[in-house]
Amino acid sequence: MPTCRIDGRPIDVNDEGFLTVYDQWDDSLATVLAGYAGIEELTDEHWKVLRFLRDDYPARKETATLRRVTAVGGFDMKELFRLFPGKPAKKMSYIAGLPKPKGCV
Amino acid sequence: MTEILETPIIPDFGDTKKPDAAGAAPSRPVRSKFQGGGEPQPAGDQAGAPAYSGPRKMVFIASKGNLDMAYPALIMANAALGEGIETHIFFTFWGFDLVTERYMDDLKFTMAGNTAMHMPQAPTMPLPQIMGVVPGMTKFATNMMKKQLDDLEIPSVREMLDIIVASGGHLWGCKLSFDMNGLARTDLYDGVEDVISATDFIELSEGAQVIFV
């Protein structure tokens, strides 16, 4: 597994670039990752989603799918597509420092 | 000591802006395991036909109305939308039940004619086809499948359609099926954008990957 220098420190990632170590992530890193994912500024709305993903992960050891973010997190699907345009599930999990979701739905 | 890459690996987000010179170094090209290891091929295939070079677009044709066959198109369409792909579903023939209010919440699964049906609790137990026509068997099989879908937290057909529409997917009804079933627009699920002809479908699917279910 490669290690990249992001935000001035070594970060472990997989071959696609997703973070592999939960605790290497922090808010400052998220803003850098957001920039890489084409999101210039993380608003409060972005942060709410990212916090949900971060809080949901440890118990399940699996990143929430879009469906779970809406059904359990209570977020609106259209809103997610607006906040993380294009590939929302990949973008939000990348910025949250989590693996990309595995679930089909 | 592991080597630290100064150039970050960035996943393929399709629309990602590369980090500019003021920020980090440009990203390295990333290939997922599905993209093959070879060099990118030039546009156009060997036969000389020009390759479609616009944004990826997918059209699913949902032609079946059994509960089990409702899901392939819905799940793949939902996945396509999550990948930022322009996605359409065309409901035709038996598939029209998926967007007909009267039937869509009550699709059924039958083991009749399905030799791939097994009891999850007893996978090796033979299930003779004759059992498929035993009264009550379809109801039993339907309930069993619904429970399995529930256990896996797969949404109902209606809820899948709601998600697809909210994600920007387009739903189209087939004109011929609509007429054959003697339906009115008010009989249809609200998310259906229009009832369109075969010709409309051909126009709609230009440049798309078409998947028949």
Side-chain angles (χ1 to χ4, degrees):
Chain A
M1 288 290 177
T3 304
C4 297
R5 191 177 305 281
I6 305 176
D7 197 26
R9 53 197 147 128
I11 302 290
D12 296 314
V13 300
N14 67 13
D15 290 337
E16 263 189 281
F18 287 85
L19 270 63
T20 53
V21 181
Y22 184 85
D23 291 325
Q24 286 180 349
W25 183 93
D26 61 20
D27 288 11
S28 152
L29 191 74
T31 56
V32 177
L33 297 177
Y36 291 165
I39 295 169
E40 301 293 333
E41 193 198 342
L42 289 176
T43 63
D44 286 352
E45 291 161 301
H46 288 103
W47 280 113
K48 279 182 200 159
V49 180
L50 298 175
R51 301 264 181 252
F52 170 75
L53 285 169
R54 292 289 299 178
D55 293 344
D56 186 67
Y57 181 83
R60 302 174 70 243
K61 294 280 173 232
E62 203 171 301
T63 307
T65 59
L66 279 183
R67 147 91 176 151
R68 186 171 169 86
V69 175
T70 56
V72 179
F75 295 92
D76 178 66
M77 187 67 84
K78 281 187 185 149
E79 194 65 3
L80 296 178
F81 273 82
R82 187 181 67 78
L83 292 170
F84 302 93
K87 305 189 180 191
K90 268 187 190 163
K91 282 187 181 177
M92 63 177 76
S93 53
Y94 176 70
I95 298 168
L98 303 171
K100 64 180 177 187
K102 286 200 179 71
C104 284
V105 178
Chain B
M1 173 88 191
T2 329
E3 186 204 353
I4 297 174
L5 302 169
E6 297 297 331
T7 307
I9 302 171
I10 299 173
D12 175 18
F13 295 117
D15 58 351
T16 312
K17 286 183 195 158
K18 304 291 181 230
D20 55 31
S27 68
R28 307 187 318 164
V30 177
R31 288 181 162 272
S32 85
K33 62 183 171 182
F34 303 113
Q35 286 171 308
E39 289 298 305
Q41 296 299 310
D45 63 20
Q46 297 303 316
Y52 174 76
S53 59
R56 195 166 166 197
K57 175 176 173 182
M58 295 183 91
V59 178
F60 296 89
I61 303 174
S63 73
K64 299 190 180 65
N66 292 359
L67 179 63
D68 50 325
M69 291 310 287
Y71 279 97
L74 301 183
I75 288 177
M76 285 191 284
N78 180 53
L81 287 161
E83 281 294 284
I85 296 168
E86 180 186 333
T87 305
H88 302 259
I89 311 180
F90 182 65
F91 297 92
T92 186
F93 268 89
W94 319 121
F96 218 94
D97 277 12
L98 274 59
V99 286
T100 305
E101 283 289 345
R102 191 183 308 151
Y103 305 123
M104 61 189 288
D105 297 314
D106 195 28
L107 301 179
K108 294 181 175 63
F109 170 56
T110 179
M111 66 164 284
N114 178 12
T115 56
M117 171 142 174
H118 316 284
M119 296 289 285
Q121 300 84 353
T124 54
M125 188 177 99
L127 277 179
Q129 275 294 303
I130 190 78
M131 281 178 66
V133 294
V134 171
M137 187 52 86
T138 295
K139 188 169 186 198
F140 168 77
T142 301
N143 287 340
M144 199 173 77
M145 171 162 278
K146 282 192 169 166
K147 185 177 178 311
Q148 285 177 302
L149 291 166
D150 265 357
D151 289 348
L152 290 172
E153 295 180 3
I154 308 287
S156 68
V157 167
R158 181 185 293 276
E159 210 182 329
M160 283 296 303
L161 290 169
D162 289 346
I163 293 171
I164 288 166
V165 170
S167 305
H170 304 278
L171 310 180
W172 307 98
C174 157
K175 177 83 168 64
L176 181 60
S177 318
F178 182 76
D179 291 344
M180 276 175 67
N181 290 326
L183 294 168
R185 278 303 302 261
T186 49
D187 295 323
L188 302 188
Y189 169 71
D190 204 33
V192 175
E193 287 181 35
D194 205 354
V195 175
I196 62 174
S197 70
T199 308
D200 294 333
F201 173 80
I202 299 301
E203 285 179 16
L204 168 80
S205 59
E206 182 179 358
Q209 293 169 306
V210 180
I211 298 176
F212 184 88
V213 178

